[in-house]
């Protein structure tokens, strides 16, 4: 009877050591995951900043594109006017000449 009680106590002690080791391993995993979560939060914060910066740059690019289209239309119109001014006298001098 006493020996059985002693064996039972040893088994309980062994089980308690195993449970303690499980909790220690769990604590290590939780600590590592905490570090990963911190890294993820930092990356999410950076991503938000990058998206805001990209929106600003896209708005700026849109404005620049509008201005450049307007300038291109003006340049084409100016070239057409110059071509007409140069061609019309040549055409009429050929007809009258």
């Amino acid at each position: 009877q006493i020996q059985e009680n002693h064996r039972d106590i040893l088994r309980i002690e062994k089980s308690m050591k195993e449970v303690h080791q499980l909790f220690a391993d769990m604590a290590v995993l939780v600590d590592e995951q905490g570090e990963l979560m911190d890294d993820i939060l930092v990356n999410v914060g950076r991503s938000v900043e990058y998206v805001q910066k990209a929106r600003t740059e896209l708005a700026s690019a849109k404005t620049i594109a509008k201005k450049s289209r307007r300038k291109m239309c003006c340049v084409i119109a100016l070239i057409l006017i110059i071509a007409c001014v140069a061609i019309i006298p040549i055409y009429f001098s050929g007809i009258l000449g």
Side-chain angles (χ1 to χ4, degrees):
Q1 177 83 15
I2 294 175
Q3 286 181 344
E4 283 182 41
N5 287 344
H6 182 66
R7 275 185 249 140
D8 289 341
I9 290 173
L10 289 176
R11 274 185 282 196
I12 291 172
E13 182 183 0
K14 182 181 176 186
S15 296
M16 288 177 65
K17 286 180 181 178
E18 290 173 357
V19 168
H20 173 53
Q21 185 60 46
L22 287 173
F23 276 104
D25 293 344
M26 183 80 76
V28 169
L29 290 173
V30 168
D31 188 48
E32 288 174 356
Q33 287 182 353
E35 291 174 11
L36 289 173
M37 288 298 293
D38 291 342
D39 290 344
I40 290 169
L41 289 174
V42 167
N43 289 334
V44 167
R46 287 181 185 159
S47 297
V48 169
E49 292 173 14
Y50 293 148
V51 167
Q52 289 172 345
K53 186 176 178 183
R55 283 183 178 169
T56 303
E57 290 180 10
L58 282 173
S60 176
K62 187 177 178 181
T63 303
I64 291 170
K66 276 185 179 179
K67 288 180 181 179
S68 68
R69 268 186 252 126
R70 201 174 301 140
K71 286 180 183 177
M72 183 61 73
C73 288
C74 290
V75 167
I76 290 172
L78 184 62
I79 290 171
L80 288 174
I81 291 170
I82 291 172
C84 287
V85 168
I87 293 173
I88 290 174
I90 295 171
Y91 177 74
F92 283 114
S93 69
I95 292 177
L96 298 175

